[in-house]
Amino acid sequence: MAGPDVGEGAPWWLAGGMVAFWLAREAWGALLSRRKERSETDANVVLIEGLTGRVKALEERLTNQDARLQQEMELRLKAQEDASALRTRIRLLESTLRQLGAVIPDPEGVSA
């Protein structure tokens, strides 16, 4: 025999080699796991930045659309007010002309 055996188990150098192999395997696994987690984290950061940009673009489009709708509502309201004022003015002018003796045909064909 080359050296003393420790009990009935494996020689000391085999046990030491197994421990060294196990430690090396754990270290390599941790390194690969760290690299994978790091790349996943980087990918998540890129994804979040992309989504943030899209959300900002959507918010800007929504703000612009709200402003356009508000402007359109104001223009429609002004047009309705102007149309109402014109109808009132036309009625007043027709009334004045009728008082002066003018015959004004009813636009709908119904006599008042």
Side-chain angles (χ1 to χ4, degrees), residues 75-91:
L75 289 173
R76 285 184 182 206
L77 182 60
K78 174 129 176 57
Q80 287 176 353
E81 290 171 353
D82 290 347
S84 178
L86 284 174
R87 281 191 298 274
T88 304
R89 175 124 174 124
I90 289 172
R91 284 189 202 122

Side-chain angles (χ1 to χ4, degrees), residues 6-64:
V6 177
E8 295 180 13
W12 65 268
W13 53 269
L14 185 59
M18 292 298 290
V19 169
F21 173 74
W22 179 79
L23 287 174
R25 188 185 70 153
E26 289 297 317
W28 184 253
L31 180 67
L32 291 179
S33 173
R34 169 93 169 110
R35 190 176 304 154
K36 180 181 176 186
E37 289 171 4
R38 176 73 178 173
S39 61
E40 287 176 354
T41 301
D42 291 345
N44 288 341
V45 168
V46 169
L47 177 65
I48 289 172
E49 288 173 352
L51 290 175
T52 301
R54 290 185 68 189
V55 167
K56 286 181 182 177
L58 288 173
E59 286 175 346
E60 185 177 324
R61 282 181 45 199
L62 184 61
T63 301
N64 291 340

